[in-house]
Amino acid sequence: MQDVLFKTTAGSTLRYFKRGNGPILIVTPPGWGLGTSYLQEAFKPLETTFTLVFLELRGNGKSSRPAASEMSCWHLADDIEHLRQELKMEKISYLLGHSGGGTIALWYAAKYPNKVDRLILLNHRLDGFDDSKSMKEAILEKAKNPKMHAPLKAWTTSHENLTDEGFAQVIRSFLPMYFYNPDAFYRSKELSNLQSVPLWNYQTVNGVDREAHRQEPELGKVTAKTLMISCRADPVCTPAQAMATQKGIAGSKLVIYDECGHFPWLEKEETFRDITDFCSS
């Protein structure tokens, strides 16, 4: 595996990890501090088909930290453009983002429509979309399961004054509710053993003071062939967001999994099949 630090044309430092064989598939994680390790663990089955490049976004790991005002998903999309230039790619053939990383990848496809061919959004969040109704319904459904009670309680825990280690502990406590089967959380060693997550990142990317950018009015700019995978038991990036995205991107494809949560590869074995089929179609 290659582990590379590079200077961008903007003067910042970014890091990426490269592994596998085949055409390049750039993978974008959320910007709020979860990092790329859980995705490197998850996407090992794709290494025989693609060269996977995992981008460590600004403010994460060894990538340099910008001003808080430059940590919105709209800003973070420019890190993908810096990576494209660093890799000397005329065009990104395959760009995949998970969760908030999908938000960032979607912004990239809207801001740089001529620089990406195929876009894959796994359980993405649609920036600025009011999904409160669907989220409430998902939470009420999960509350019927006694195994979800402790994670739901942890989800509402205040984290304003936590250390990065304390924040990671809270995340470990509530992540089981992101699954259809809460026990599936433990299938990921990286997620179930999170030790430190930078609270600063979360507060700047998702906090109440963050700069608001709405994606819905920009979706018509996306020309990339687009696949969205969404899951009915995802309480934070619900199918309602994916359906709104599909409506805005001409010709886009949406697959919705039943009995599956926010990390589909841990609950649905067809996840990688659907990704590879889309890329080869």
Side-chain angles (χ1 to χ4, degrees), residues 110-174:
K111 293 175 74 173
Y112 303 93
N114 298 323
K115 296 300 182 183
V116 57
D117 186 40
R118 298 197 182 214
L119 177 67
I120 304 145
L121 305 175
L122 294 182
N123 299 69
H124 76 287
R125 178 175 61 82
L126 184 59
D127 225 355
F129 182 77
D130 182 4
D131 199 22
S132 53
K133 181 176 182 293
S134 295
M135 291 177 69
K136 182 178 180 180
E137 291 171 351
I139 295 302
L140 289 174
E141 183 63 29
K142 287 181 182 294
K144 298 176 183 178
N145 183 347
K147 285 188 174 183
M148 293 290 189
H149 292 174
L152 284 168
K153 184 177 180 180
W155 198 47
T156 60
T157 299
S158 173
H159 49 256
E160 288 301 311
N161 298 308
L162 295 176
T163 63
D164 292 350
E165 291 73 24
F167 185 41
Q169 182 177 355
V170 170
I171 293 171
R172 291 198 309 271
S173 298
F174 71 60

Side-chain angles (χ1 to χ4, degrees), residues 216 219 228 241-252:
E216 272 188 284
L219 294 176
M228 287 161 286
Q241 299 187 50
M243 288 187 283
T245 305
Q246 183 189 32
K247 184 178 178 181
I249 302 177
S252 57

Side-chain angles (χ1 to χ4, degrees), residues 51-186:
T51 297
L52 301 173
V53 177
F54 300 89
L55 176 60
E56 192 167 76
L57 296 156
R58 65 184 69 178
N60 287 265
K62 292 184 179 180
S63 293
S64 55
R65 176 179 287 191
S69 60
E70 297 178 351
M71 279 292 289
S72 74
C73 290
W74 185 86
H75 288 95
L76 289 165
D78 288 337
D79 289 356
I80 300 175
E81 177 60 9
H82 293 313
L83 177 62
R84 182 194 67 80
Q85 294 172 12
E86 170 66 16
L87 296 175
K88 296 179 171 58
M89 301 175 69
E90 182 63 30
K91 193 173 188 178
I92 297 172
S93 297
Y94 308 106
L95 175 62
L96 182 152
H98 172 246
S99 188
T103 313
I104 296 164
L106 182 55
W107 272 127
Y108 181 80
K111 293 175 74 173
Y112 303 93
N114 298 323
K115 296 300 182 183
V116 57
D117 186 40
R118 298 197 182 214
L119 177 67
I120 304 145
L121 305 175
L122 294 182
N123 299 69
H124 76 287
R125 178 175 61 82
L126 184 59
D127 225 355
F129 182 77
D130 182 4
D131 199 22
S132 53
K133 181 176 182 293
S134 295
M135 291 177 69
K136 182 178 180 180
E137 291 171 351
I139 295 302
L140 289 174
E141 183 63 29
K142 287 181 182 294
K144 298 176 183 178
N145 183 347
K147 285 188 174 183
M148 293 290 189
H149 292 174
L152 284 168
K153 184 177 180 180
W155 198 47
T156 60
T157 299
S158 173
H159 49 256
E160 288 301 311
N161 298 308
L162 295 176
T163 63
D164 292 350
E165 291 73 24
F167 185 41
Q169 182 177 355
V170 170
I171 293 171
R172 291 198 309 271
S173 298
F174 71 60
L175 271 184
M177 65 163 281
Y178 280 46
F179 293 79
Y180 172 75
N181 172 11
D183 294 332
F185 165 61
Y186 299 99

